[in-house]
Amino acid sequence: MGEIMKDPSKATEEDFKTMRDINSLVNSLKEKMEPYQGFNINAGRPMKEIALRFYQENLILSAILEAFVYIESYSFANLNKWVFDYVDKDFMWEVSVPYYNMCVAKLCNIGLLKAVFQDEHDNNPNITITDQGKEALRQQTYANLAQSSLFNYQASLFNEQSVKLNKQIKWITVVSAFVAFAALVVAIIALFKR
């Protein structure tokens, strides 16, 4: 590529075809990145809210999988009872029922759990863990993600507090500079009054 850039006249048809392929690949990446346009740190929710949501989701996913340590199959109602008994009550009060149900559905959608309905009117499916779910449970994938997410949440809280502290320190510095300047002016005036 470097040689072609130095002297384009030496490029072969194959080189031009390769450059066209690279160009089309780069252009296709632009289309794939469109969902991320406009996404930046100031676009929506604060970082601490996002970090808290990741922590909540990963802890719930981990707790759901932990239910299958001793038993491979639960009814949906018994699974819910186990998770709500297992997870700290103060934590569970922060989580809505639809959000919890979405976490169960997510584990089913990615193939870690399998829900079997008796018929179309069944509201209490039988939920079993799959081999992939057993592997994720064995590797403690979601437990590790929950720990990392908790660390990120705590870091975001600490960051928020340090930003507030920095603002207070800047304000105190400005005030102390004015006080020092006023003291200097008073000292100079007192010196000249003698």
Side-chain angles (χ1 to χ4, degrees):
M1 216 41 176
E3 292 175 17
I4 294 172
M5 293 299 193
K6 288 179 186 174
D7 189 9
S9 63
K10 293 183 179 180
T12 65
E13 186 59 39
E14 186 178 326
D15 293 332
F16 286 123
K17 182 184 180 310
T18 303
M19 287 193 293
R20 284 191 297 271
D21 290 344
I22 290 172
N23 187 34
S24 66
L25 178 66
V26 169
N27 288 335
S28 71
L29 284 176
K30 289 179 187 175
E31 293 171 8
K32 291 179 182 177
M33 295 301 287
E34 280 182 15
Y36 300 103
Q37 287 180 350
F39 182 79
N40 62 38
I41 197 164
N42 299 319
R45 299 182 293 181
M47 291 303 286
K48 90 173 172 186
E49 186 178 326
I50 294 169
L52 176 62
R53 199 50 143 181
F54 274 116
Y55 168 59
Q56 287 173 338
E57 179 177 341
N58 287 314
L59 183 65
I60 291 169
L61 294 173
S62 173
I64 292 168
L65 285 178
E66 291 287 330
F68 294 94
V69 168
Y70 300 111
I71 300 173
E72 288 192 17
S73 180
Y74 283 94
S75 68
F76 185 65
N78 287 339
L79 176 64
N80 295 344
K81 183 180 182 318
W82 192 93
V83 171
F84 286 109
D85 287 344
Y86 177 76
V87 178
D88 183 36
K89 301 297 181 250
D90 291 336
F91 176 84
M92 290 310 287
W93 278 109
E94 300 287 323
V95 177
S96 67
V97 172
Y99 188 73
Y100 168 79
N101 290 340
M102 188 254 339
C103 289
V104 174
K106 181 177 185 176
L107 288 172
C108 292
N109 287 338
I110 60 176
L112 300 182
L113 297 179
K114 182 178 179 185
V116 177
F117 293 88
Q118 300 299 325
D119 57 38
E120 70 242 17
H121 302 293
D122 188 9
N123 292 328
N124 192 18
N126 193 33
I127 298 178
T128 57
I129 189 166
T130 64
D131 290 337
Q132 291 174 327
K134 289 176 185 175
E135 187 61 27
L137 180 60
R138 192 174 5 268
Q139 292 179 3
Q140 294 293 302
T141 304
Y142 288 101
N144 292 336
L145 285 171
Q147 288 174 346
S148 299
S149 300
L150 177 60
F151 175 77
N152 290 340
Y153 174 61
Q154 294 296 333
S156 69
L157 291 178
F158 179 73
N159 186 33
E160 186 178 281
Q161 291 172 350
S162 59
V163 166
K164 289 178 184 176
L165 184 62
N166 283 342
K167 287 179 182 178
Q168 290 174 347
I169 289 172
K170 286 177 184 176
W171 177 249
I172 290 171
T173 303
V174 168
V175 170
S176 64
F178 282 130
V179 169
F181 181 72
L184 181 64
V185 169
V186 170
I188 291 173
I189 291 173
L191 183 64
F192 286 116
K193 279 190 172 181
R194 287 190 179 174

